[in-house]
């Protein structure tokens, strides 16, 4: 149940992007069968477009055709989710208070980290659209604003589970099991990579891949096989 009259700005932008919407008194019916179109969005105080939907719309626009420009005017530094979307293959450039999204992008599942409540929701949307498995860490942010989101998404047919291992923060996994050995020497999001140099986390097998999983927490704890970071953030890689 919802109050559609409180969501006029959001519904207008979704229609502009090509989503078919039918509004009833306390319900909204959506049909996004046709390809999405890139749109421009500018966040504003109510009744303008809500800043709390900015991260979700950035994720949505990665699947839209053309270029979208999302301008954030309410809060500074609210594009922390962009780097995580880039890890999944999104084509996004941040220019001051604007994010320029070029799509559609073929997103690939990857381990990503939630930085705040709305960014968490945006990463969930991206994970649902991506090929393969996406693991979202620090989903305690998500729980501050969305009740049992994974259960509701499973009711819509999504493959999504919540995991909690030891003392690490809860995480969400979308898709099939995340970690696997590299196949044919080709790096893929979610692969395990042997680490020969623990000081730099340089990958022994794929010399152009460096681990950046511990960059944020500044810890470099590896398991006995030297394959997976044991910190809460997880093991992520980036090209150099």
């Amino acid at each position: 149940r919802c109050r559609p009259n409180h969501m006029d700005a959001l519904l207008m932008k979704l229609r502009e992007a090509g989503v078919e919407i039918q509004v009833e008194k306390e319900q909204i019916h959506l049909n996004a069968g046709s390809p999405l179109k890139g749109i421009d969005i500018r966040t504003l105080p109510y009744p303008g477009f809500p800043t709390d939907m900015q991260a979700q719309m950035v994720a949505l626009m990665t699947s839209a055709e053309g270029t979208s420009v999302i301008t954030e005017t309410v809060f500074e530094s609210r594009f922390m989710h962009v780097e995580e979307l880039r890890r999944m293959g999104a084509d996004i450039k941040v220019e001051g208070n604007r994010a320029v999204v070029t799509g559609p992008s073929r997103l690939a599942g990857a381990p990503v980290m939630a930085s705040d409540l709305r960014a968490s929701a945006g990463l969930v949307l991206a994970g649902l659209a991506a090929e393969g498995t996406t693991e979202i860490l620090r989903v305690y942010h998500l729980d501050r604003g969305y009740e049992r989101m994974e259960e509701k998404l499973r009711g819509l047919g999504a493959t999504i589970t919540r995991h909690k291992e030891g003392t690490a923060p809860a995480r969400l996994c979308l898709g099939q099991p995340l970690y696997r050995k590299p196949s044919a020497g080709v790096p893929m999001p979610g692969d395990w990579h042997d680490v020969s140099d623990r000081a730099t986390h340089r990958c022994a097998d794929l010399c152009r891949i460096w681990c950046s999983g511990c960059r944020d927490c500044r810890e470099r704890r590896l398991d006995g096989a030297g394959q997976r970071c044991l910190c809460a953030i997880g093991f992520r890689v980036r090209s150099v």
Side-chain angles (χ1 to χ4, degrees):
R1 297 176 61 181
C2 62
R3 295 185 178 182
N5 60 316
H6 289 183
M7 306 166 63
D8 288 340
L10 172 61
L11 297 178
M12 180 183 69
K13 285 299 179 181
L14 288 175
R15 287 191 176 105
E16 185 180 339
V19 180
E20 298 178 9
I21 299 176
Q22 293 182 348
V23 175
E24 298 180 4
K25 184 177 180 180
E26 293 184 334
Q27 293 182 339
I28 299 174
H29 300 271
L30 303 179
N31 182 6
S34 58
L36 296 175
K37 299 177 292 185
I39 58 174
D40 294 341
I41 296 170
R42 187 180 185 87
T43 64
L44 292 167
Y46 183 83
F49 190 89
T51 181
D52 285 349
M53 287 299 299
Q54 178 255 108
Q56 297 92 314
M57 290 300 288
V58 170
L60 181 64
M61 289 300 100
T62 63
S63 298
E65 295 181 354
T67 299
S68 306
V69 179
I70 293 90
T71 304
E72 176 58 61
T73 70
V74 179
F75 291 111
E76 295 182 0
S77 303
R78 211 177 194 193
F79 286 125
M80 295 180 67
H81 50 283
V82 167
E83 182 61 31
E84 304 306 303
L85 292 172
R86 284 177 179 154
R87 294 180 189 279
M88 302 174 69
D91 184 354
I92 308 174
K93 296 179 181 179
V94 176
E95 302 172 351
N97 68 333
R98 304 191 314 162
V100 181
V101 186
T102 303
S105 296
R106 186 175 179 180
L107 301 181
V112 292
M113 182 178 66
S115 57
D116 59 53
L117 169 58
R118 310 305 170 183
S120 303
L123 294 176
V124 169
L125 294 180
L128 292 172
E131 296 182 5
T133 298
T134 297
E135 182 183 45
I136 304 172
L137 298 162
R138 296 186 176 179
V139 292
Y140 54 81
H141 292 297
L142 189 73
D143 295 334
R144 292 192 293 109
Y146 300 94
E147 184 179 7
R148 302 191 307 275
M149 174 181 266
E150 66 272 21
E151 296 178 17
K152 296 172 183 177
L153 290 174
R154 280 199 298 269
L156 296 172
T159 302
I160 178 171
T161 56
R162 180 183 291 256
H163 299 272
K164 188 174 181 64
E165 298 178 358
T167 60
R171 57 192 174 91
L172 288 177
C173 288
L174 299 96
Q176 300 304 312
L178 175 66
Y179 292 99
R180 59 188 183 280
K181 289 286 186 179
S183 57
V186 179
M188 294 291 292
D191 281 350
W192 276 9
H193 299 280
D194 292 332
V195 176
S196 61
D197 186 343
R198 296 194 180 193
T200 61
H201 285 200
R202 185 166 187 172
C203 176
D205 296 331
L206 306 166
C207 62
R208 291 180 298 171
I209 300 296
W210 292 66
C211 171
S212 63
C214 296
R215 180 185 61 184
D216 298 306
C217 70
R218 293 185 173 86
E219 294 186 29
R220 291 174 174 172
R221 293 176 292 150
L222 301 174
D223 67 10
Q227 291 180 319
R228 184 180 178 186
C229 173
L230 297 180
C231 70
I233 292 179
F235 196 116
R236 297 185 295 190
V237 297
R238 61 182 175 87
S239 298
V240 296

